[in-house]
Amino acid sequence: MKLVRTRSEFFAARAEQLGTVGLVPTMGALHAGHSALLDAARAECDSVITTNFVNPLQFGPTEDLARYPRTLDADLEVCEKAGVDLVWAPSVDDVYPYGGTQVRVEPGPLGDILEGMVRPGHFSGMLTVVAKFLNLVRPGRAYFGEKDYQQLALIRQMTEDLELGVAVVGVGTVREADGLALSSRNVFLSAAERTHALILSHALAAGRAAAHEGAIGVITAATAVLASEPDIAVDYLELRGADLREIPVHGACRLLVAARVGTTRLIDNVGVEL
Ligand code: PAF
Protein backbone atom coordinates (compact mmCIF):
# COMPACT_ATOMS: atom_id res chain seq x y z
CA MET A 1 0.00 0.00 0.00
CA LYS A 2 1.22 3.45 -0.90
CA LEU A 3 0.40 6.76 0.83
CA VAL A 4 0.67 9.93 -1.25
CA ARG A 5 0.02 13.53 -0.25
CA THR A 6 0.45 15.97 -3.12
CA ARG A 7 -1.42 16.12 -6.40
CA SER A 8 1.69 15.29 -8.45
CA GLU A 9 2.58 12.33 -6.20
CA PHE A 10 -0.99 11.13 -6.67
CA PHE A 11 -0.92 11.35 -10.46
CA ALA A 12 2.38 9.42 -10.60
CA ALA A 13 0.97 6.67 -8.34
CA ARG A 14 -2.40 6.62 -10.14
CA ALA A 15 -0.63 5.85 -13.44
CA GLU A 16 0.62 2.57 -11.92
CA GLN A 17 -2.90 1.32 -11.10
CA LEU A 18 -4.14 -1.00 -13.82
CA GLY A 19 -7.53 -2.52 -14.65
CA THR A 20 -10.77 -1.48 -12.99
CA VAL A 21 -10.10 1.09 -10.29
CA GLY A 22 -12.47 1.25 -7.31
CA LEU A 23 -12.56 4.56 -5.43
CA VAL A 24 -13.64 4.90 -1.81
CA PRO A 25 -13.72 8.62 -0.96
CA THR A 26 -13.59 9.25 2.80
CA MET A 27 -13.04 12.00 5.32
CA GLY A 28 -10.85 9.67 7.38
CA ALA A 29 -11.74 8.64 10.97
CA LEU A 30 -12.28 5.22 9.45
CA HIS A 31 -14.43 2.61 11.22
CA ALA A 32 -15.95 -0.75 10.32
CA GLY A 33 -18.48 1.03 8.07
CA HIS A 34 -15.61 2.26 5.90
CA SER A 35 -14.00 -1.20 6.04
CA ALA A 36 -17.19 -2.57 4.47
CA LEU A 37 -16.78 -0.07 1.60
CA LEU A 38 -13.12 -0.98 1.17
CA ASP A 39 -13.92 -4.71 1.29
CA ALA A 40 -16.61 -4.31 -1.39
CA ALA A 41 -14.18 -2.37 -3.59
CA ARG A 42 -11.44 -4.95 -2.99
CA ALA A 43 -13.78 -7.80 -3.99
CA GLU A 44 -14.97 -6.10 -7.19
CA CYS A 45 -12.00 -4.10 -8.52
CA ASP A 46 -8.42 -4.73 -9.67
CA SER A 47 -7.11 -1.74 -7.81
CA VAL A 48 -8.50 0.11 -4.76
CA ILE A 49 -7.84 3.79 -4.17
CA THR A 50 -9.12 5.73 -1.17
CA THR A 51 -9.05 9.46 -0.55
CA ASN A 52 -8.74 10.77 3.00
CA PHE A 53 -9.79 14.40 3.04
CA VAL A 54 -11.95 16.45 5.42
CA ASN A 55 -13.69 18.70 2.91
CA PRO A 56 -14.20 22.24 4.29
CA LEU A 57 -16.70 23.00 1.54
CA GLN A 58 -19.32 20.68 3.00
CA PHE A 59 -19.26 22.10 6.54
CA GLY A 60 -21.48 25.04 7.46
CA PRO A 61 -20.09 27.95 9.52
CA THR A 62 -21.61 26.56 12.73
CA GLU A 63 -20.66 22.93 12.03
CA ASP A 64 -17.91 20.71 13.39
CA LEU A 65 -15.07 21.13 10.82
CA ALA A 66 -12.44 21.98 13.44
CA ARG A 67 -13.44 19.16 15.79
CA TYR A 68 -13.98 16.53 13.08
CA PRO A 69 -11.72 13.60 14.12
CA ARG A 70 -8.44 13.32 12.20
CA THR A 71 -6.79 9.93 12.71
CA LEU A 72 -4.54 9.30 9.70
CA ASP A 73 -2.22 6.74 11.36
CA ALA A 74 -5.11 4.57 12.50
CA ASP A 75 -6.82 5.07 9.12
CA LEU A 76 -3.73 3.75 7.33
CA GLU A 77 -3.89 0.55 9.40
CA VAL A 78 -7.53 0.05 8.40
CA CYS A 79 -6.60 0.58 4.74
CA GLU A 80 -3.64 -1.77 4.95
CA LYS A 81 -5.84 -4.52 6.46
CA ALA A 82 -8.46 -4.01 3.75
CA GLY A 83 -5.85 -4.45 1.00
CA VAL A 84 -6.03 -0.88 -0.33
CA ASP A 85 -3.46 -0.14 -3.05
CA LEU A 86 -3.26 3.63 -2.82
CA VAL A 87 -4.27 6.18 -0.16
CA TRP A 88 -4.40 9.83 -1.16
CA ALA A 89 -4.48 12.22 1.80
CA PRO A 90 -4.21 15.64 0.15
CA SER A 91 -4.03 19.02 1.83
CA VAL A 92 -6.78 21.60 1.38
CA ASP A 93 -4.48 23.48 -1.04
CA ASP A 94 -3.97 20.34 -3.12
CA VAL A 95 -7.70 19.89 -3.57
CA TYR A 96 -8.52 23.61 -3.86
CA PRO A 97 -5.40 25.17 -5.40
CA TYR A 98 -7.31 28.39 -6.07
CA GLY A 99 -8.78 28.56 -2.57
CA GLY A 100 -12.18 26.93 -3.11
CA THR A 101 -14.14 26.71 -6.36
CA GLN A 102 -16.09 29.38 -8.19
CA VAL A 103 -18.30 26.76 -9.85
CA ARG A 104 -20.10 24.28 -7.61
CA VAL A 105 -22.40 21.36 -8.27
CA GLU A 106 -26.02 22.33 -7.60
CA PRO A 107 -27.88 19.40 -5.99
CA GLY A 108 -31.33 20.31 -7.34
CA PRO A 109 -34.64 19.50 -5.60
CA LEU A 110 -33.37 16.34 -3.91
CA GLY A 111 -30.88 18.56 -2.07
CA ASP A 112 -33.57 20.76 -0.51
CA ILE A 113 -35.24 18.07 1.61
CA LEU A 114 -34.15 16.23 4.80
CA GLU A 115 -30.48 17.09 5.51
CA GLY A 116 -30.66 19.88 2.93
CA MET A 117 -33.27 21.71 5.04
CA VAL A 118 -31.03 21.63 8.11
CA ARG A 119 -27.60 21.99 6.47
CA PRO A 120 -27.74 24.63 3.73
CA GLY A 121 -24.79 24.34 1.31
CA HIS A 122 -23.73 20.94 2.62
CA PHE A 123 -24.74 18.89 -0.42
CA SER A 124 -23.36 21.39 -2.88
CA GLY A 125 -19.97 21.23 -1.10
CA MET A 126 -20.13 17.44 -0.89
CA LEU A 127 -21.08 16.92 -4.55
CA THR A 128 -18.42 19.39 -5.67
CA VAL A 129 -15.62 17.51 -3.91
CA VAL A 130 -16.96 14.12 -5.05
CA ALA A 131 -17.06 15.40 -8.65
CA LYS A 132 -13.47 16.64 -8.27
CA PHE A 133 -12.25 13.31 -6.88
CA LEU A 134 -14.09 11.35 -9.58
CA ASN A 135 -12.38 13.51 -12.20
CA LEU A 136 -8.96 13.34 -10.55
CA VAL A 137 -9.04 9.59 -9.87
CA ARG A 138 -11.13 8.45 -12.89
CA PRO A 139 -12.37 5.22 -11.23
CA GLY A 140 -14.62 2.65 -12.90
CA ARG A 141 -16.57 2.21 -9.66
CA ALA A 142 -17.05 4.42 -6.61
CA TYR A 143 -18.32 3.23 -3.20
CA PHE A 144 -20.52 5.11 -0.71
CA GLY A 145 -22.36 4.02 2.44
CA GLU A 146 -26.14 3.80 2.75
CA LYS A 147 -25.75 5.40 6.19
CA ASP A 148 -25.61 8.75 4.35
CA TYR A 149 -28.56 7.75 2.23
CA GLN A 150 -29.39 11.17 0.80
CA GLN A 151 -25.73 11.70 -0.06
CA LEU A 152 -25.72 8.38 -1.95
CA ALA A 153 -28.95 9.29 -3.79
CA LEU A 154 -27.53 12.68 -4.79
CA ILE A 155 -24.24 11.19 -5.99
CA ARG A 156 -26.20 8.69 -8.12
CA GLN A 157 -28.27 11.57 -9.52
CA MET A 158 -25.16 13.65 -10.25
CA THR A 159 -23.34 10.85 -12.04
CA GLU A 160 -26.45 10.11 -14.15
CA ASP A 161 -27.37 13.71 -14.91
CA LEU A 162 -23.81 14.79 -15.70
CA GLU A 163 -22.87 11.50 -17.48
CA LEU A 164 -19.81 11.01 -15.30
CA GLY A 165 -19.31 7.44 -16.52
CA VAL A 166 -18.71 5.81 -13.14
CA ALA A 167 -20.71 3.02 -11.50
CA VAL A 168 -21.89 4.20 -8.06
CA VAL A 169 -22.11 1.34 -5.56
CA GLY A 170 -24.08 1.68 -2.29
CA VAL A 171 -22.98 -0.43 0.68
CA GLY A 172 -25.26 -1.30 3.64
CA THR A 173 -24.91 0.42 7.03
CA VAL A 174 -22.73 -1.33 9.62
CA ARG A 175 -24.16 -1.31 13.17
CA GLU A 176 -22.92 -2.05 16.66
CA ALA A 177 -24.47 -5.14 18.25
CA ASP A 178 -27.03 -2.90 20.01
CA GLY A 179 -28.12 -1.25 16.75
CA LEU A 180 -26.17 2.04 16.82
CA ALA A 181 -25.13 2.90 13.27
CA LEU A 182 -21.37 3.37 13.00
CA SER A 183 -20.38 6.99 12.46
CA SER A 184 -17.15 8.95 12.82
CA ARG A 185 -19.15 11.30 15.05
CA ASN A 186 -19.97 8.57 17.61
CA VAL A 187 -16.63 9.31 19.34
CA PHE A 188 -18.16 12.57 20.57
CA LEU A 189 -20.91 10.77 22.53
CA SER A 190 -20.56 10.40 26.30
CA ALA A 191 -21.62 7.03 27.74
CA ALA A 192 -25.03 8.48 28.67
CA GLU A 193 -25.47 10.13 25.25
CA ARG A 194 -24.58 6.89 23.53
CA THR A 195 -27.46 5.23 25.41
CA HIS A 196 -29.84 8.03 24.39
CA ALA A 197 -28.65 7.69 20.76
CA LEU A 198 -29.84 4.07 20.61
CA ILE A 199 -33.39 5.39 20.32
CA LEU A 200 -32.73 6.30 16.68
CA SER A 201 -32.16 2.73 15.50
CA HIS A 202 -34.92 1.47 17.82
CA ALA A 203 -37.39 3.94 16.30
CA LEU A 204 -36.39 2.92 12.76
CA ALA A 205 -36.78 -0.77 13.66
CA ALA A 206 -40.25 -0.08 15.13
CA GLY A 207 -41.21 1.80 11.97
CA ARG A 208 -40.01 -1.00 9.75
CA ALA A 209 -41.88 -3.58 11.85
CA ALA A 210 -45.14 -1.62 11.29
CA ALA A 211 -44.82 -1.75 7.47
CA HIS A 212 -47.94 -3.94 7.17
CA GLU A 213 -49.95 -1.00 8.59
CA GLY A 214 -48.94 1.28 5.72
CA ALA A 215 -47.08 4.59 5.65
CA ILE A 216 -49.02 6.22 8.50
CA GLY A 217 -48.50 3.14 10.67
CA VAL A 218 -44.75 3.26 10.03
CA ILE A 219 -44.46 6.94 10.98
CA THR A 220 -46.74 6.56 14.02
CA ALA A 221 -44.76 3.62 15.39
CA ALA A 222 -41.37 5.30 14.87
CA THR A 223 -42.58 8.64 16.30
CA ALA A 224 -43.87 6.96 19.46
CA VAL A 225 -40.48 5.36 20.11
CA LEU A 226 -38.57 8.62 19.48
CA ALA A 227 -40.92 10.49 21.83
CA SER A 228 -40.03 8.10 24.65
CA GLU A 229 -36.49 9.58 24.82
CA PRO A 230 -36.56 13.17 26.13
CA ASP A 231 -32.77 13.61 25.90
CA ILE A 232 -32.59 13.95 22.11
CA ALA A 233 -33.76 16.76 19.80
CA VAL A 234 -35.25 15.35 16.60
CA ASP A 235 -34.60 17.33 13.40
CA TYR A 236 -36.76 15.10 11.23
CA LEU A 237 -38.29 11.67 10.87
CA GLU A 238 -39.55 11.00 7.35
CA LEU A 239 -40.70 8.13 5.20
CA ARG A 240 -39.97 8.47 1.49
CA GLY A 241 -39.74 6.33 -1.61
CA ALA A 242 -36.43 4.47 -1.98
CA ASP A 243 -35.39 7.18 -4.47
CA LEU A 244 -36.33 9.78 -1.80
CA ARG A 245 -39.29 10.91 -3.91
CA GLU A 246 -43.00 10.18 -3.21
CA ILE A 247 -43.96 7.20 -1.06
CA PRO A 248 -45.29 4.41 -3.30
CA VAL A 249 -48.52 2.66 -2.23
CA HIS A 250 -46.62 -0.62 -2.29
CA GLY A 251 -42.89 -1.08 -2.68
CA ALA A 252 -39.50 0.00 -1.44
CA CYS A 253 -39.33 3.01 0.89
CA ARG A 254 -36.75 4.58 3.17
CA LEU A 255 -37.36 5.75 6.74
CA LEU A 256 -34.87 8.46 7.70
CA VAL A 257 -34.15 10.20 10.98
CA ALA A 258 -31.83 12.95 12.21
CA ALA A 259 -31.44 14.07 15.80
CA ARG A 260 -29.08 15.94 18.07
CA VAL A 261 -27.81 14.10 21.09
CA GLY A 262 -26.01 16.63 23.27
CA THR A 263 -23.87 18.60 20.80
CA THR A 264 -23.58 15.71 18.34
CA ARG A 265 -25.86 15.40 15.33
CA LEU A 266 -26.63 11.84 14.23
CA ILE A 267 -28.47 10.47 11.19
CA ASP A 268 -29.73 6.98 10.42
CA ASN A 269 -32.10 5.23 8.00
CA VAL A 270 -33.53 1.85 7.10
CA GLY A 271 -35.32 0.30 4.15
CA VAL A 272 -39.06 -0.31 4.61
CA GLU A 273 -41.09 -2.46 2.23
CA LEU A 274 -44.71 -1.26 2.13
O1 PAF B 1 -19.30 10.61 3.33
C1 PAF B 1 -18.23 11.24 3.42
O2 PAF B 1 -17.31 10.86 4.16
C2 PAF B 1 -18.05 12.52 2.61
O3 PAF B 1 -19.24 13.22 2.49
C3 PAF B 1 -17.43 12.27 1.22
C4 PAF B 1 -18.33 11.46 0.32
C5 PAF B 1 -16.08 11.58 1.37
C6 PAF B 1 -17.18 13.62 0.53
O4 PAF B 1 -16.34 14.45 1.28
Side-chain angles (χ1 to χ4, degrees):
M1 186 181 80
K2 196 168 201 170
L3 165 69
V4 292
R5 304 308 290 254
T6 66
R7 211 172 242 258
S8 49
E9 278 169 8
F10 173 71
F11 286 134
R14 170 66 183 87
E16 289 166 12
Q17 308 300 320
L18 304 174
T20 303
V21 167
L23 171 65
V24 181
T26 80
M27 298 207 300
L30 303 186
H31 49 63
H34 296 103
S35 301
L37 302 178
L38 297 170
D39 291 347
R42 184 70 281 164
E44 295 170 3
C45 304
D46 300 309
S47 165
V48 178
I49 299 181
T50 182
T51 53
N52 190 307
F53 178 66
V54 182
N55 173 35
L57 230 57
Q58 70 189 74
F59 288 78
T62 59
E63 292 183 351
D64 54 356
L65 173 63
R67 81 162 183 164
Y68 199 85
R70 286 156 171 90
T71 58
L72 185 60
D73 289 345
D75 294 347
L76 293 175
E77 279 177 32
V78 173
C79 292
E80 182 81 60
K81 275 204 191 101
V84 170
D85 296 294
L86 179 57
V87 180
W88 186 20
S91 68
V92 173
D93 287 345
D94 269 306
V95 177
Y96 299 114
Y98 309 105
T101 62
Q102 296 190 38
V103 173
R104 292 194 187 182
V105 180
E106 160 67 44
L110 211 56
D112 293 336
I113 59 173
L114 302 163
E115 287 298 286
M117 301 252 292
V118 191
R119 305 184 66 191
H122 165 67
F123 284 129
S124 172
M126 179 280 292
L127 288 177
T128 301
V129 85
V130 170
K132 274 172 83 80
F133 279 128
L134 290 175
N135 285 325
L136 288 162
V137 178
R138 307 261 161 183
R141 301 167 75 79
Y143 295 79
F144 301 89
E146 287 187 349
K147 159 79 171 31
D148 293 302
Y149 194 81
Q150 190 177 5
Q151 166 173 288
L152 173 62
L154 280 165
I155 292 168
R156 283 192 200 286
Q157 190 76 54
M158 172 176 75
T159 57
E160 274 172 42
D161 285 353
L162 303 185
E163 316 274 2
L164 296 186
V166 58
V168 173
V169 184
V171 177
T173 302
V174 178
R175 297 178 182 281
E176 307 271 11
D178 58 10
L180 186 70
L182 294 194
S183 162
S184 304
R185 293 186 167 93
N186 289 352
V187 295
F188 299 136
L189 299 171
S190 68
E193 287 170 348
R194 194 191 172 287
T195 309
H196 304 322
L198 289 177
I199 208 70
L200 268 62
S201 56
H202 291 173
L204 295 178
R208 196 213 300 248
H212 59 282
E213 293 171 34
I216 308 251
V218 169
I219 289 289
T220 308
T223 306
V225 174
L226 278 183
S228 71
E229 175 53 79
D231 289 316
I232 63 161
V234 178
D235 280 338
Y236 60 78
L237 169 75
E238 280 195 46
L239 183 68
R240 292 191 164 256
D243 57 3
L244 295 184
R245 294 184 171 84
E246 308 84 66
I247 304 171
V249 180
H250 295 291
C253 294
R254 210 78 195 177
L255 182 60
L256 306 101
V257 67
R260 278 158 290 134
V261 185
T263 55
T264 305
R265 195 162 176 283
L266 298 176
I267 58 173
D268 198 357
N269 68 84
V270 290
V272 174
E273 194 68 27
L274 285 187

